[in-house]
Amino acid sequence: MTISLSDAGKRYNRDWIFRHFTFQFSSGTSYAITGPNGSGKSTLLQSIGGAVDLSEGKLSLLSAAGGSIAPENLYRQIALAAPYLELVEEMTVTEFLGFHQTFKPFLPGLSIEFMIQLTGLSAAAHKQIRYYSSGMKQRVKLLQALFTDVPVILLDEPCTNLDQEGVQLYRSMVDRFCSDRLLIVSSNDETEYSFCTERISITAYK
């Protein structure tokens, strides 16, 4: 899949978050959007994913087969993990993942039990998510995104609240399950994006 932005910009009131952004993102490549806190990384990431409308410029999409995809249908091709996304905390992780796959399937051959075990959550599989630590909740967000069967993965500060073991788990899941997909990481921490082959500084588009 290919996502292209041409002379794209986003502003709130009179303040431009980014402007004159032209770039093409392609499957099989990992990208990092970098910059200091408050610089607009998350806004750019959400614009790439179609969740935030551009103030100027154009967003265009091509499937792997070369067919055009309407921007309003981009959400079907994307999985996102971000600190500002909420989980359904009244559910257990088993229930939550079962609920999620009624909307978007997981990668072929991966059972919910396997995913929970891989992310070290087996002991809490039947506990309501509201009783999870912040690090456990972040693992749930990551497994939901990384294991969803979509061509595009967007990660905003993916190691938020993770300990060293969680960071290593994140890296291993990316290596194992994302190599052939389009992956974009928004972060100011190189630990989260050191594997990315292309890097984009948001400050270049102010």
Side-chain angles (χ1 to χ4, degrees):
M1 181 167 181
T2 301
I3 300 176
S4 299
L5 279 81
S6 178
D7 202 28
K10 178 63 182 178
R11 71 178 179 185
Y12 292 108
N13 298 320
R14 296 183 179 180
D15 296 326
W16 286 97
I17 309 303
F18 62 88
R19 203 171 189 191
H20 305 306
F21 183 84
T22 298
F23 203 88
Q24 180 173 292
F25 301 87
S26 301
S27 292
T29 305
S30 54
Y31 303 85
I33 299 172
T34 66
N37 290 338
S39 58
K41 299 185 300 297
S42 294
T43 301
L44 176 55
L45 187 74
Q46 292 175 60
S47 298
I48 293 167
V52 170
D53 291 332
L54 295 170
S55 301
E56 64 179 16
K58 182 181 180 182
L59 171 70
S60 57
L61 318 160
L62 288 177
S63 68
S68 179
I69 300 172
E72 60 267 24
N73 293 324
L74 179 56
Y75 75 95
R76 299 178 183 274
Q77 313 296 322
I78 284 176
L80 168 67
Y84 43 81
L85 292 183
E86 299 292 335
L87 300 168
V88 185
E89 297 197 355
E90 292 75 21
M91 291 182 175
T92 66
V93 66
T94 304
E95 293 168 340
F96 177 70
L97 296 177
F99 175 69
H100 173 77
Q101 71 176 353
T102 64
F103 299 95
K104 292 181 181 179
F106 291 114
L107 293 169
L110 300 186
S111 67
I112 289 176
E113 182 181 7
F114 169 80
M115 291 185 286
I116 292 173
Q117 181 180 20
L118 184 65
T119 49
L121 296 171
S122 294
H126 302 290
K127 181 188 295 186
Q128 287 183 326
I129 294 172
R130 62 178 171 170
Y131 297 117
Y132 281 19
S133 68
S134 57
M136 292 168 70
K137 290 177 182 178
Q138 184 63 17
R139 290 186 185 216
V140 175
K141 292 180 182 182
L142 287 174
L143 76 87
Q144 176 192 8
L146 297 176
F147 293 148
T148 298
D149 190 12
V150 290
V152 181
I153 304 293
L154 305 180
L155 303 176
D156 197 348
E157 299 181 353
C159 295
T160 299
N161 297 317
L162 293 182
D163 57 15
Q164 188 59 42
E165 181 182 344
V167 172
Q168 292 174 353
L169 174 64
Y170 156 70
R171 292 294 301 270
S172 68
M173 289 195 297
V174 167
D175 290 344
R176 184 172 176 182
F177 297 104
C178 296
S179 61
D180 60 343
R181 297 194 274 181
L182 168 51
L183 175 65
I184 307 175
V185 182
S186 168
S187 174
N188 61 5
D189 182 353
E190 190 168 4
T191 302
E192 300 180 317
Y193 64 81
S194 60
F195 57 86
C196 291
T197 54
E198 298 207 31
R199 302 182 184 186
I200 305 158
S201 173
I202 186 70
T203 58
Y205 298 94
K206 295 292 187 180

